[in-house]
Amino acid sequence: MYKKFLVLGLSYALMACSGPSTPDSDQHAPANTQTMTDTTKLIGRWDITIDQDGKPAPSWLEVKLSGYRTLVGYFVGASGSARPVSKVTFENGKFSFSIPPQWENGTQDLVIEGQPTAEGIEGTITTSEGKKHNWKGVKAPYLKRTSAPEWGETIDLFNGKDLSGWKAMGENQWEVRDGILTSPRSGSNLISEQKFTDFKLHVEFRYQKGSNSGVYLRGRYEVQIEDSPKEAHPSSVLFSGVYGFIAPSEIAALGPDQWQTYDITLTGRMITVVVNGKTVISNQEIPGITGGALDSNEGEPGPIYIQGDHGPIEFRKIVITPAK
């Protein structure tokens, strides 16, 4: 009996060392180790700057590995929200993908082509109108914080009297009426002259029926202000969403012609949004920039930027508490 068990034990040990005997045992293994090694250079998040005829335009790309060998991702152009990329082709050290137009003029797919370089990635984008531009990208910073912030002194960014401390992006339509910062019609966006890194931001705003605005944090990440119905399914492009990336837990809007509040905390990439006293986003990571951002330099401080090009909007308080 002892010898029988000894022989069986040795047999099972040999079988284990030789691996499974099924003919399809390697069907899920990576096909090409060298190809995957090259591909890993592309995986990650990228802060991109497009050269649009000499004018820099911010953009963003994330590439992920789906399974063993398929690359997928998300792309943010110079405008609009993050768009899914169903497949990124990577061959002979070069990659490419295409996506349908969103808010762009033109009807053809956008085509992005590029390659890894010593400094990051670079390539070309062919727009929906057929124009080709060069671009360069660097790895996006993680923006991790190792300790809780220590808050500094509170600053009133809007003084209730005039536009001191702000500048318009183009011809200015903003004015102060009875202590209220008002954009009576679609026009220029408004940018704070001061720049910030981590902060708590309190804003009180009112919009008209059907209007649309937003508050850009560091000039890069938009918290959406929009006349969204309460019964709408929460979405990243509706009221209080981080545009294109993070949906609120609910639409906690009071509706048009009502004064409402956002209390936003941003530390690194982590954001919390409280709407009219109710937390709808709790310490979530913002992956990348919103289309329409001022730049893609995510590691740098940036201003508060208020959208004024999508309809009338009013603010009566804009108060920020920066981290020390």
Side-chain angles (χ1 to χ4, degrees), residues 186-310:
S186 296
S188 295
N189 301 323
L190 200 62
I191 305 171
S192 70
E193 293 178 352
Q194 294 188 65
K195 295 183 178 182
F196 307 95
T197 302
D198 294 347
F199 52 80
K200 294 188 294 185
L201 178 68
H202 173 81
V203 294
E204 298 181 12
F205 58 90
R206 181 171 63 182
Y207 52 80
Q208 297 179 12
K209 184 175 177 59
S211 198
N212 181 313
S213 182
V215 178
Y216 278 72
L217 315 175
R218 301 190 196 120
R220 302 181 189 106
Y221 316 115
E222 181 190 9
V223 179
Q224 173 78 311
I225 296 175
E226 190 206 46
D227 183 19
S228 303
K230 291 182 180 180
E231 63 273 14
H233 187 81
S235 166
S236 65
V237 299
L238 296 182
F239 184 87
S240 71
V242 177
Y243 196 82
F245 285 114
I246 306 174
S249 59
E250 63 179 285
I251 303 295
L254 300 179
D257 303 316
Q258 302 292 319
W259 284 108
Q260 306 188 59
T261 62
Y262 281 170
D263 287 283
I264 302 166
T265 303
L266 180 66
T267 56
R269 291 188 179 278
M270 309 307 292
I271 186 171
T272 295
V273 179
V274 179
V275 179
N276 300 319
K278 182 174 290 187
T279 301
V280 298
I281 296 175
S282 180
N283 200 38
Q284 297 294 303
E285 183 190 40
I286 305 175
I289 67 170
T290 305
L294 297 177
D295 60 52
S296 56
N297 305 324
E298 292 191 87
E300 298 180 3
I304 302 301
Y305 143 31
I306 301 171
Q307 194 172 46
D309 60 355
H310 281 60

